[in-house]
Amino acid sequence: MLIVALTGGIGSGKSTVGEIFSQLGAVVVDSDQIARNVIERGTSGFDLLVATFGDGILKNGDIDRAALSTLVFSDPKKRELLEQITHPLIRSEFSKIVKSLPEETIVVNQIPLLFESKGDYRFDFIITISVPHNIRVDRLLKRGLSSTQIEQRIKAQASDAERESISDSVIVNDNDLASLTKQVEDIWIKLTEINRLKK
Ligand code: ATP
């Protein structure tokens, strides 16, 4: 088993690269999806968040992730509190998934806030996707975000340089999909070799 983290800022191409890894044979897990699952109605995560932040974070009985983001966005203490509640739940859910997989699996965990979570997670190999600022902004504008939203979100996250500093490999997603795929294939060869040597 090889546990790989795939990180990158907003709009860097995590989902796109995750899809390529999946086609190559990795089991790809999306931490954002796990983060949604652990706060669904009926979970202990849901109860804890409502008890902590009040029912202002609810919409039609479910946690409104947009309202929650807005609430913690401008208040670092609240953001820390949110992470203290959700990160252990996300980690435990990820461990459960890993335990259910065959021993030879290469697991790729798409995890946007790896750098920000400061060593809370353990990985055998870390990959960062970096993108020049102007290309990232163009791709996000095409996805319908406004310039202000884009700049705010980029500013709230770690920088490419910070993510690169904790990485074993860096993918530079500044060209077309063929160039991206080639970089992912090269890393895949490396990963399968590391996994083979681990046995
Ligand atoms: P987020 O963190 O915001 O969910 P992400 O890191 O998962 O984003 P993607 O959704 O994979 O990023 O990519 C962002 C957008 O850029 C998508 O619309 C995707 O199709 C496009 N994109 C990614 N890589 C390329 C590329 N090499 N060429 C053209 N478009 C690309």
Side-chain angles (χ1 to χ4, degrees):
M1 178 90 66
L2 194 71
I3 316 273
V4 179
L6 174 61
T7 193
I10 178 169
S12 56
K14 293 178 295 296
S15 309
T16 311
V17 169
E19 183 54 38
I20 301 168
F21 271 126
S22 162
Q23 281 164 14
L24 289 168
V27 171
V28 179
V29 176
D30 179 0
S31 282
D32 266 348
Q33 185 57 51
I34 299 180
R36 284 192 281 274
N37 294 348
V38 298
I39 62 167
E40 264 177 12
R41 209 188 302 194
T43 62
S44 58
F46 176 98
D47 294 342
L48 272 168
L49 288 190
V50 177
T52 306
F53 296 111
D55 50 18
I57 60 166
L58 294 177
K59 189 173 166 188
N60 303 324
D62 289 314
I63 287 172
D64 179 2
R65 285 176 32 105
L68 191 56
S69 306
T70 311
L71 184 72
V72 302
F73 203 70
S74 51
D75 187 337
K77 283 221 173 73
K78 281 190 180 150
R79 189 165 164 170
E80 208 170 294
L81 198 54
L82 173 69
E83 287 169 1
Q84 276 168 6
I85 295 170
T86 55
H87 283 188
L89 297 169
I90 298 169
R91 277 201 303 275
S92 137
E93 198 53 35
F94 180 61
S95 299
K96 262 193 234 162
I97 296 172
V98 166
K99 282 194 189 115
S100 72
L101 295 168
E103 188 47 41
E104 65 277 12
T105 310
I106 297 178
V107 185
V108 174
N109 188 348
Q110 283 173 220
I111 176 162
L113 300 181
L114 178 67
F115 182 86
E116 291 83 342
S117 67
K118 296 182 177 63
D120 276 355
Y121 295 83
R122 292 277 163 263
F123 289 99
D124 299 316
F125 197 93
I126 298 177
I127 304 166
T128 282
I129 312 169
S130 290
V131 191
H133 184 79
N134 57 327
I135 299 181
R136 189 197 304 272
V137 171
D138 276 353
R139 288 181 186 153
L140 290 170
L141 284 171
K142 281 196 194 121
R143 245 172 41 177
L145 290 178
S146 73
S147 305
T148 317
Q149 280 173 322
I150 295 169
E151 293 304 335
Q152 263 184 349
R153 288 178 198 194
I154 291 176
K155 242 172 88 184
Q157 297 184 338
S159 65
D160 278 353
E162 285 173 317
R163 281 183 288 266
E164 287 173 14
S165 72
I166 57 160
S167 298
D168 299 289
S169 275
V170 177
I171 292 172
V172 183
N173 188 11
D174 61 352
N175 207 309
D176 57 12
L177 282 175
S179 145
L180 183 63
T181 304
K182 172 77 176 77
Q183 294 180 71
V184 180
E185 284 169 350
D186 288 346
I187 294 177
W188 178 250
I189 291 170
K190 213 187 266 182
L191 295 179
T192 49
E193 185 60 11
I194 296 172
N195 201 26
R196 192 178 64 78
L197 292 174
K198 266 185 108 189
K199 277 181 201 162

